[in-house]
mmCIF file of all heavy atoms in Angstrom:
data_model
loop_
_atom_site.group_PDB
_atom_site.id
_atom_site.type_symbol
_atom_site.label_atom_id
_atom_site.label_comp_id
_atom_site.label_asym_id
_atom_site.label_seq_id
_atom_site.Cartn_x
_atom_site.Cartn_y
_atom_site.Cartn_z
ATOM 1 N N TRP A 1 -35.652 27.214 -73.136
ATOM 2 C CA TRP A 1 -36.865 26.404 -72.684
ATOM 3 C C TRP A 1 -36.490 25.458 -71.633
ATOM 4 O O TRP A 1 -37.298 25.249 -70.652
ATOM 5 C CB TRP A 1 -37.483 25.724 -73.873
ATOM 6 C CG TRP A 1 -38.596 24.799 -73.436
ATOM 7 C CD1 TRP A 1 -38.646 23.423 -73.598
ATOM 8 C CD2 TRP A 1 -39.779 25.163 -72.751
ATOM 9 N NE1 TRP A 1 -39.787 22.960 -73.026
ATOM 10 C CE2 TRP A 1 -40.514 24.011 -72.494
ATOM 11 C CE3 TRP A 1 -40.268 26.370 -72.264
ATOM 12 C CZ2 TRP A 1 -41.746 23.983 -71.860
ATOM 13 C CZ3 TRP A 1 -41.485 26.397 -71.597
ATOM 14 C CH2 TRP A 1 -42.226 25.225 -71.386
ATOM 15 N N ILE A 2 -35.328 24.807 -71.697
ATOM 16 C CA ILE A 2 -34.939 23.889 -70.632
ATOM 17 C C ILE A 2 -34.818 24.655 -69.293
ATOM 18 O O ILE A 2 -35.355 24.169 -68.279
ATOM 19 C CB ILE A 2 -33.573 23.253 -70.956
ATOM 20 C CG1 ILE A 2 -33.753 22.256 -72.118
ATOM 21 C CG2 ILE A 2 -32.943 22.518 -69.760
ATOM 22 C CD1 ILE A 2 -32.474 21.665 -72.651
ATOM 23 N N LEU A 3 -34.236 25.791 -69.332
ATOM 24 C CA LEU A 3 -34.087 26.613 -68.104
ATOM 25 C C LEU A 3 -35.428 27.021 -67.568
ATOM 26 O O LEU A 3 -35.745 26.920 -66.383
ATOM 27 C CB LEU A 3 -33.214 27.831 -68.355
ATOM 28 C CG LEU A 3 -32.859 28.654 -67.115
ATOM 29 C CD1 LEU A 3 -32.182 27.845 -66.041
ATOM 30 C CD2 LEU A 3 -31.987 29.838 -67.526
ATOM 31 N N THR A 4 -36.323 27.519 -68.502
ATOM 32 C CA THR A 4 -37.652 27.931 -68.059
ATOM 33 C C THR A 4 -38.476 26.768 -67.498
ATOM 34 O O THR A 4 -39.155 26.898 -66.504
ATOM 35 C CB THR A 4 -38.451 28.505 -69.291
ATOM 36 O OG1 THR A 4 -37.665 29.611 -69.826
ATOM 37 C CG2 THR A 4 -39.808 28.972 -68.906
ATOM 38 N N ALA A 5 -38.398 25.579 -68.157
ATOM 39 C CA ALA A 5 -39.138 24.413 -67.695
ATOM 40 C C ALA A 5 -38.622 23.965 -66.293
ATOM 41 O O ALA A 5 -39.472 23.595 -65.484
ATOM 42 C CB ALA A 5 -38.965 23.271 -68.690
ATOM 43 N N SER A 6 -37.377 24.075 -66.060
ATOM 44 C CA SER A 6 -36.832 23.664 -64.751
ATOM 45 C C SER A 6 -37.325 24.602 -63.659
ATOM 46 O O SER A 6 -37.681 24.165 -62.554
ATOM 47 C CB SER A 6 -35.299 23.648 -64.798
ATOM 48 O OG SER A 6 -34.742 24.909 -64.965
ATOM 49 N N ILE A 7 -37.358 25.947 -63.995
ATOM 50 C CA ILE A 7 -37.899 26.869 -63.003
ATOM 51 C C ILE A 7 -39.393 26.649 -62.727
ATOM 52 O O ILE A 7 -39.823 26.610 -61.559
ATOM 53 C CB ILE A 7 -37.689 28.312 -63.523
ATOM 54 C CG1 ILE A 7 -36.204 28.658 -63.566
ATOM 55 C CG2 ILE A 7 -38.374 29.319 -62.590
ATOM 56 C CD1 ILE A 7 -35.834 29.921 -64.226
ATOM 57 N N LEU A 8 -40.143 26.410 -63.808
ATOM 58 C CA LEU A 8 -41.573 26.100 -63.633
ATOM 59 C C LEU A 8 -41.788 24.809 -62.834
ATOM 60 O O LEU A 8 -42.758 24.703 -62.041
ATOM 61 C CB LEU A 8 -42.232 26.023 -65.019
ATOM 62 C CG LEU A 8 -42.337 27.336 -65.804
ATOM 63 C CD1 LEU A 8 -42.903 27.106 -67.189
ATOM 64 C CD2 LEU A 8 -43.195 28.341 -65.071
ATOM 65 N N ALA A 9 -40.924 23.835 -63.061
ATOM 66 C CA ALA A 9 -41.074 22.572 -62.311
ATOM 67 C C ALA A 9 -40.830 22.790 -60.857
ATOM 68 O O ALA A 9 -41.563 22.242 -59.972
ATOM 69 C CB ALA A 9 -40.106 21.521 -62.835
ATOM 70 N N VAL A 10 -39.873 23.617 -60.454
ATOM 71 C CA VAL A 10 -39.608 23.913 -59.046
ATOM 72 C C VAL A 10 -40.778 24.724 -58.467
ATOM 73 O O VAL A 10 -41.198 24.447 -57.335
ATOM 74 C CB VAL A 10 -38.253 24.661 -58.883
ATOM 75 C CG1 VAL A 10 -38.089 25.165 -57.460
ATOM 76 C CG2 VAL A 10 -37.109 23.812 -59.309
ATOM 77 N N VAL A 11 -41.348 25.669 -59.240
ATOM 78 C CA VAL A 11 -42.489 26.481 -58.752
ATOM 79 C C VAL A 11 -43.640 25.485 -58.554
ATOM 80 O O VAL A 11 -44.364 25.578 -57.537
ATOM 81 C CB VAL A 11 -42.816 27.542 -59.821
ATOM 82 C CG1 VAL A 11 -44.164 28.212 -59.398
ATOM 83 C CG2 VAL A 11 -41.770 28.571 -59.861
ATOM 84 N N LEU A 12 -43.893 24.553 -59.447
ATOM 85 C CA LEU A 12 -44.945 23.561 -59.338
ATOM 86 C C LEU A 12 -44.754 22.723 -58.053
ATOM 87 O O LEU A 12 -45.683 22.487 -57.328
ATOM 88 C CB LEU A 12 -44.984 22.688 -60.556
ATOM 89 C CG LEU A 12 -45.961 21.463 -60.528
ATOM 90 C CD1 LEU A 12 -47.425 21.958 -60.370
ATOM 91 C CD2 LEU A 12 -45.827 20.592 -61.700
ATOM 92 N N LEU A 13 -43.513 22.326 -57.838
ATOM 93 C CA LEU A 13 -43.159 21.515 -56.659
ATOM 94 C C LEU A 13 -43.539 22.251 -55.362
ATOM 95 O O LEU A 13 -44.201 21.698 -54.492
ATOM 96 C CB LEU A 13 -41.664 21.169 -56.721
ATOM 97 C CG LEU A 13 -41.136 20.453 -55.431
ATOM 98 C CD1 LEU A 13 -41.712 19.133 -55.307
ATOM 99 C CD2 LEU A 13 -39.624 20.401 -55.535
ATOM 100 N N LEU A 14 -43.156 23.533 -55.317
ATOM 101 C CA LEU A 14 -43.434 24.360 -54.106
ATOM 102 C C LEU A 14 -44.935 24.541 -53.936
ATOM 103 O O LEU A 14 -45.475 24.515 -52.796
ATOM 104 C CB LEU A 14 -42.684 25.688 -54.187
ATOM 105 C CG LEU A 14 -41.170 25.558 -54.148
ATOM 106 C CD1 LEU A 14 -40.537 27.020 -54.298
ATOM 107 C CD2 LEU A 14 -40.728 24.985 -52.790
ATOM 108 N N LEU A 15 -45.637 24.794 -55.012
ATOM 109 C CA LEU A 15 -47.123 24.993 -54.968
ATOM 110 C C LEU A 15 -47.792 23.754 -54.444
ATOM 111 O O LEU A 15 -48.654 23.813 -53.592
ATOM 112 C CB LEU A 15 -47.675 25.346 -56.327
ATOM 113 C CG LEU A 15 -47.456 26.801 -56.813
ATOM 114 C CD1 LEU A 15 -47.976 26.958 -58.234
ATOM 115 C CD2 LEU A 15 -48.262 27.777 -55.860
ATOM 116 N N LEU A 16 -47.342 22.600 -54.962
ATOM 117 C CA LEU A 16 -47.942 21.317 -54.480
ATOM 118 C C LEU A 16 -47.775 21.061 -53.047
ATOM 119 O O LEU A 16 -48.651 20.566 -52.325
ATOM 120 C CB LEU A 16 -47.420 20.121 -55.329
ATOM 121 C CG LEU A 16 -47.766 20.143 -56.791
ATOM 122 C CD1 LEU A 16 -47.054 18.972 -57.515
ATOM 123 C CD2 LEU A 16 -49.288 19.958 -56.968
ATOM 124 N N ILE A 17 -46.506 21.327 -52.534
ATOM 125 C CA ILE A 17 -46.226 21.135 -51.130
ATOM 126 C C ILE A 17 -46.862 22.194 -50.217
ATOM 127 O O ILE A 17 -47.428 21.851 -49.218
ATOM 128 C CB ILE A 17 -44.684 21.070 -50.937
ATOM 129 C CG1 ILE A 17 -44.104 19.877 -51.641
ATOM 130 C CG2 ILE A 17 -44.359 20.989 -49.402
ATOM 131 C CD1 ILE A 17 -42.560 19.818 -51.622
ATOM 132 N N ILE A 18 -46.701 23.455 -50.594
ATOM 133 C CA ILE A 18 -47.139 24.561 -49.714
ATOM 134 C C ILE A 18 -48.648 24.823 -49.783
ATOM 135 O O ILE A 18 -49.340 24.883 -48.805
ATOM 136 C CB ILE A 18 -46.331 25.787 -49.985
ATOM 137 C CG1 ILE A 18 -44.806 25.542 -49.773
ATOM 138 C CG2 ILE A 18 -46.762 26.946 -49.147
ATOM 139 C CD1 ILE A 18 -43.977 26.683 -50.269
ATOM 140 N N ARG A 19 -49.087 25.013 -51.017
ATOM 141 C CA ARG A 19 -50.513 25.447 -51.279
ATOM 142 C C ARG A 19 -51.443 24.269 -51.205
ATOM 143 O O ARG A 19 -52.521 24.353 -50.516
ATOM 144 C CB ARG A 19 -50.596 26.127 -52.619
ATOM 145 C CG ARG A 19 -52.022 26.542 -53.015
ATOM 146 C CD ARG A 19 -52.462 27.691 -52.051
ATOM 147 N NE ARG A 19 -53.796 28.191 -52.404
ATOM 148 C CZ ARG A 19 -54.986 27.616 -52.012
ATOM 149 N NH1 ARG A 19 -54.894 26.571 -51.166
ATOM 150 N NH2 ARG A 19 -56.091 28.153 -52.364
ATOM 151 N N PHE A 20 -51.071 23.136 -51.789
ATOM 152 C CA PHE A 20 -52.085 22.046 -51.893
ATOM 153 C C PHE A 20 -51.714 20.899 -50.923
ATOM 154 O O PHE A 20 -52.437 19.893 -50.920
ATOM 155 C CB PHE A 20 -52.125 21.515 -53.352
ATOM 156 C CG PHE A 20 -52.541 22.558 -54.338
ATOM 157 C CD1 PHE A 20 -51.678 23.145 -55.179
ATOM 158 C CD2 PHE A 20 -53.904 22.901 -54.334
ATOM 159 C CE1 PHE A 20 -52.086 24.090 -56.116
ATOM 160 C CE2 PHE A 20 -54.349 23.867 -55.285
ATOM 161 C CZ PHE A 20 -53.425 24.458 -56.142
ATOM 162 N N ARG A 21 -50.696 21.054 -50.118
ATOM 163 C CA ARG A 21 -50.321 20.146 -49.025
ATOM 164 C C ARG A 21 -50.078 18.697 -49.499
ATOM 165 O O ARG A 21 -50.464 17.725 -48.865
ATOM 166 C CB ARG A 21 -51.460 20.091 -47.963
ATOM 167 C CG ARG A 21 -51.795 21.437 -47.380
ATOM 168 C CD ARG A 21 -50.617 22.010 -46.561
ATOM 169 N NE ARG A 21 -50.950 23.282 -45.926
ATOM 170 C CZ ARG A 21 -50.069 23.984 -45.228
ATOM 171 N NH1 ARG A 21 -48.820 23.484 -45.048
ATOM 172 N NH2 ARG A 21 -50.416 25.095 -44.671
ATOM 173 N N PHE A 22 -49.476 18.611 -50.699
ATOM 174 C CA PHE A 22 -49.071 17.299 -51.197
ATOM 175 C C PHE A 22 -47.981 16.721 -50.292
ATOM 176 O O PHE A 22 -47.107 17.482 -49.862
ATOM 177 C CB PHE A 22 -48.611 17.362 -52.684
ATOM 178 C CG PHE A 22 -49.654 17.262 -53.674
ATOM 179 C CD1 PHE A 22 -50.824 18.046 -53.577
ATOM 180 C CD2 PHE A 22 -49.565 16.404 -54.722
ATOM 181 C CE1 PHE A 22 -51.809 17.979 -54.533
ATOM 182 C CE2 PHE A 22 -50.497 16.319 -55.753
ATOM 183 C CZ PHE A 22 -51.691 17.081 -55.645
ATOM 184 N N GLN A 23 -47.956 15.386 -50.167
ATOM 185 C CA GLN A 23 -46.769 14.745 -49.532
ATOM 186 C C GLN A 23 -45.564 15.021 -50.481
ATOM 187 O O GLN A 23 -45.656 14.869 -51.710
ATOM 188 C CB GLN A 23 -47.052 13.277 -49.423
ATOM 189 C CG GLN A 23 -46.494 12.631 -48.161
ATOM 190 C CD GLN A 23 -44.986 12.481 -48.241
ATOM 191 O OE1 GLN A 23 -44.372 12.328 -49.303
ATOM 192 N NE2 GLN A 23 -44.320 12.534 -47.060
ATOM 193 N N PRO A 24 -44.368 15.394 -49.959
ATOM 194 C CA PRO A 24 -43.264 15.756 -50.821
ATOM 195 C C PRO A 24 -42.871 14.609 -51.760
ATOM 196 O O PRO A 24 -42.455 14.897 -52.916
ATOM 197 C CB PRO A 24 -42.113 15.969 -49.804
ATOM 198 C CG PRO A 24 -42.841 16.458 -48.585
ATOM 199 C CD PRO A 24 -44.092 15.707 -48.514
ATOM 200 N N PHE A 25 -43.075 13.338 -51.410
ATOM 201 C CA PHE A 25 -42.742 12.224 -52.330
ATOM 202 C C PHE A 25 -43.588 12.347 -53.586
ATOM 203 O O PHE A 25 -43.126 12.220 -54.727
ATOM 204 C CB PHE A 25 -42.958 10.883 -51.596
ATOM 205 C CG PHE A 25 -43.069 9.730 -52.503
ATOM 206 C CD1 PHE A 25 -41.963 9.334 -53.241
ATOM 207 C CD2 PHE A 25 -44.280 9.038 -52.634
ATOM 208 C CE1 PHE A 25 -41.989 8.214 -54.102
ATOM 209 C CE2 PHE A 25 -44.319 7.906 -53.480
ATOM 210 C CZ PHE A 25 -43.218 7.522 -54.198
ATOM 211 N N VAL A 26 -44.949 12.527 -53.448
ATOM 212 C CA VAL A 26 -45.830 12.637 -54.527
ATOM 213 C C VAL A 26 -45.503 13.899 -55.334
ATOM 214 O O VAL A 26 -45.514 13.901 -56.570
ATOM 215 C CB VAL A 26 -47.286 12.593 -54.062
ATOM 216 C CG1 VAL A 26 -48.254 12.746 -55.205
ATOM 217 C CG2 VAL A 26 -47.606 11.307 -53.315
ATOM 218 N N ALA A 27 -45.307 15.028 -54.626
ATOM 219 C CA ALA A 27 -45.035 16.287 -55.286
ATOM 220 C C ALA A 27 -43.799 16.215 -56.116
ATOM 221 O O ALA A 27 -43.802 16.733 -57.327
ATOM 222 C CB ALA A 27 -44.850 17.394 -54.238
ATOM 223 N N LEU A 28 -42.740 15.536 -55.705
ATOM 224 C CA LEU A 28 -41.529 15.411 -56.463
ATOM 225 C C LEU A 28 -41.776 14.597 -57.717
ATOM 226 O O LEU A 28 -41.276 14.900 -58.834
ATOM 227 C CB LEU A 28 -40.418 14.797 -55.646
ATOM 228 C CG LEU A 28 -39.641 15.742 -54.686
ATOM 229 C CD1 LEU A 28 -38.899 14.961 -53.622
ATOM 230 C CD2 LEU A 28 -38.662 16.608 -55.484
ATOM 231 N N LEU A 29 -42.543 13.536 -57.615
ATOM 232 C CA LEU A 29 -42.830 12.677 -58.763
ATOM 233 C C LEU A 29 -43.659 13.468 -59.815
ATOM 234 O O LEU A 29 -43.409 13.431 -61.019
ATOM 235 C CB LEU A 29 -43.594 11.432 -58.362
ATOM 236 C CG LEU A 29 -42.789 10.282 -57.756
ATOM 237 C CD1 LEU A 29 -43.681 9.140 -57.450
ATOM 238 C CD2 LEU A 29 -41.685 9.842 -58.725
ATOM 239 N N VAL A 30 -44.670 14.220 -59.337
ATOM 240 C CA VAL A 30 -45.498 15.022 -60.275
ATOM 241 C C VAL A 30 -44.632 16.070 -60.948
ATOM 242 O O VAL A 30 -44.762 16.262 -62.183
ATOM 243 C CB VAL A 30 -46.633 15.689 -59.485
ATOM 244 C CG1 VAL A 30 -47.425 16.674 -60.397
ATOM 245 C CG2 VAL A 30 -47.615 14.659 -58.993
ATOM 246 N N ALA A 31 -43.797 16.754 -60.247
ATOM 247 C CA ALA A 31 -42.947 17.782 -60.827
ATOM 248 C C ALA A 31 -41.958 17.178 -61.823
ATOM 249 O O ALA A 31 -41.686 17.760 -62.907
ATOM 250 C CB ALA A 31 -42.182 18.536 -59.717
ATOM 251 N N ALA A 32 -41.423 16.012 -61.494
ATOM 252 C CA ALA A 32 -40.498 15.302 -62.428
ATOM 253 C C ALA A 32 -41.224 14.940 -63.712
ATOM 254 O O ALA A 32 -40.689 15.098 -64.793
ATOM 255 C CB ALA A 32 -39.946 14.076 -61.697
ATOM 256 N N ILE A 33 -42.452 14.378 -63.592
ATOM 257 C CA ILE A 33 -43.185 13.995 -64.767
ATOM 258 C C ILE A 33 -43.544 15.197 -65.644
ATOM 259 O O ILE A 33 -43.417 15.182 -66.909
ATOM 260 C CB ILE A 33 -44.502 13.243 -64.338
ATOM 261 C CG1 ILE A 33 -44.126 11.892 -63.710
ATOM 262 C CG2 ILE A 33 -45.399 13.038 -65.575
ATOM 263 C CD1 ILE A 33 -45.273 11.190 -63.111
#
């Protein structure tokens, strides 16, 4: 689950930056949370 969650967090990070145009600072915080 730790490995799966880390992969999903990176996928979420990329979606926020690429698809939804989040500022990387905000996207990193959201993915971390």
Side-chain angles (χ1 to χ4, degrees):
W1 173 240
I2 290 174
L3 185 58
T4 301
S6 66
I7 294 172
L8 292 175
V10 173
V11 171
L12 173 62
L13 174 65
L14 293 176
L15 282 174
L16 291 176
I17 294 175
I18 299 170
R19 177 69 178 84
F20 299 106
R21 303 293 181 184
F22 273 49
Q23 216 287 330
F25 164 66
V26 178
L28 279 163
L29 282 181
V30 171
I33 292 170

